[in-house]
Amino acid sequence: MIKKTLDQQLKKASEIIKKSKRTCFFSGAGLSVESGIPCFRGPKGIWNMIDPGFIEINYFLNNPNESWKLIKKYFYDFLDDIKPNDAHKGITKLQNMGYIKTVITQNIDCLHQAAKNKNVYEYHGTLEYMVCMNCGLRVKSSNIQLDTLPPLCDKCRGLLKPDFVFFGEPIPFKAQDQADYEIKNSDCFIVTGTTGEVVPAGLIPMYAKRNGSKIIEINTEKSNYTDYITDVFLQGKATQIISALVKELTE
Ligand code: NAD
């Protein structure tokens, strides 16, 4: 019975995607769970193990050593080992088939790019780069040794910070601008692996819905969106559902 309902929902979703003139894929931490990266929230979430205060901007500036020890442990130490999963790869297939135009991600793990997704907008920035808090120089994280902490800028010896949005920092203007464009111009959003609890990112699907967009949601659990704005809820793991969508849209 559950399988039959999911099959019907998959058909409904693929009809919406086929009719859409511009589809935007909106991702959260759940998309990368099957690559071995935990979510922040929920029973197995990182915030159950550690207080998120170490990535609050004023704490970071006042306690760079303590903050960097945890940033290294929770973000950089695993970065070399992670790989895109079948959901990331499925997005590439859907883009190559012409069904997805852009990707807005809240994730900072670079896995959309690693899977060769196109037109990826990183709303919360990325671990791939660090930025100097003194001179603004942006450097590739892979060129920075983390043996001695905190890492310092080669040019001016200022403090380096990962180029993702810390608590207390604004969303970069360019990222907001790109999100606003998609809200205005896309007629379908595929919202995957996000609770919708982090704002302003979580508001993007809400504004898109208000602008007339259809909302297809993929999640293992109901989210803040499911009973309010979601048109088609595809319940399950991102890898399984996106692979099924690719199959449905290939037939
Ligand atoms: P979240 O941790 O609040 O929620 C994750 C959501 O994913 C939940 O709704 C959960 O039910 C769902 N989920 C879990 N496993 C799934 C799976 N296999 N398939 C589909 N859905 C699954 O995440 P969030 O809403 O993205 O917000 C947290 C913030 O933390 C975001 O801003 C994000 O940038 C950041 N974050 C990023 C990463 C990363 O880059 N990989 C990891 C953790 C957190």
Side-chain angles (χ1 to χ4, degrees):
M1 179 64 187
I2 291 172
K3 164 121 186 28
K4 195 172 165 215
T5 313
L6 181 60
D7 285 347
Q8 286 166 348
Q9 296 291 85
L10 277 164
K11 278 200 170 35
K12 253 170 109 174
S14 63
E15 285 313 311
I16 291 173
I17 294 168
K18 275 185 204 160
K19 276 192 202 141
S20 159
K21 292 193 169 58
R22 186 180 177 101
T23 291
C24 176
F25 193 97
F26 180 73
S27 65
L31 188 77
S32 294
V33 163
E34 293 168 84
S35 289
I37 308 175
C39 296
F40 282 169
R41 289 165 185 75
K44 291 184 187 157
I46 299 174
W47 297 158
N48 269 344
M49 296 180 260
I50 177 97
D51 186 303
F54 71 96
I55 51 167
E56 197 274 319
I57 189 64
N58 286 323
Y59 179 84
F60 174 77
L61 292 174
N62 291 320
N63 308 276
N65 258 322
E66 286 70 22
S67 184
W68 256 110
K69 272 186 215 157
L70 295 169
I71 291 168
K72 179 176 178 305
K73 176 173 174 188
Y74 286 102
F75 294 107
Y76 281 104
D77 279 353
F78 67 83
L79 203 57
D80 287 343
D81 300 327
I82 53 161
K83 296 205 166 31
N85 61 46
D86 285 347
H88 298 100
K89 292 175 196 166
I91 297 167
T92 309
K93 287 182 190 157
L94 292 173
Q95 285 196 310
N96 290 343
M97 290 155 83
Y99 288 126
I100 292 175
K101 182 76 182 168
T102 55
V103 176
I104 300 176
T105 187
Q106 299 170 77
N107 296 343
I108 55 175
D109 55 27
C110 324
L111 289 180
H112 283 288
Q113 290 90 338
K116 300 204 170 11
N117 292 179
K118 291 180 292 242
N119 308 324
V120 179
Y121 304 138
E122 293 168 309
Y123 193 77
H124 286 153
T126 174
L127 283 168
E128 195 183 0
Y129 287 91
M130 293 182 196
V131 66
C132 174
M133 298 306 281
N134 184 47
C135 72
L137 186 74
R138 199 166 179 255
V139 288
K140 269 244 174 202
S141 300
S142 54
N143 292 336
I144 303 297
Q145 295 295 330
L146 294 179
D147 306 335
T148 312
L149 296 176
L152 300 177
C153 176
D154 268 352
K155 204 170 126 197
C156 74
R157 309 309 289 159
L159 174 66
L160 290 177
K161 171 191 163 290
D163 200 12
F164 67 80
V165 177
F166 278 29
F167 292 115
E169 285 193 303
I171 300 298
F173 179 77
K174 202 171 157 210
Q176 188 59 56
D177 209 32
Q178 285 156 339
D180 289 343
Y181 186 89
E182 292 311 316
I183 290 167
K184 215 167 149 202
N185 292 290
S186 296
D187 55 11
C188 172
F189 268 66
I190 305 176
V191 177
T192 301
T194 181
T195 52
E197 280 175 26
V198 177
V199 288
L203 298 175
I204 292 171
M206 304 281 191
Y207 290 139
K209 177 72 177 185
R210 199 164 67 183
N211 204 46
S213 181
K214 294 278 185 199
I215 307 292
I216 295 166
E217 187 185 1
I218 301 171
N219 202 313
T220 46
E221 320 269 339
K222 279 188 171 186
S223 73
N224 284 357
Y225 305 118
T226 319
D227 292 331
Y228 297 98
I229 62 163
T230 298
D231 294 288
V232 183
F233 182 46
L234 301 171
Q235 187 162 20
K237 290 184 175 179
T239 52
Q240 290 166 358
I241 300 288
I242 291 173
S243 301
L245 254 186
V246 171
K247 196 164 170 255
E248 188 70 39
L249 285 160
T250 308
E251 281 163 1

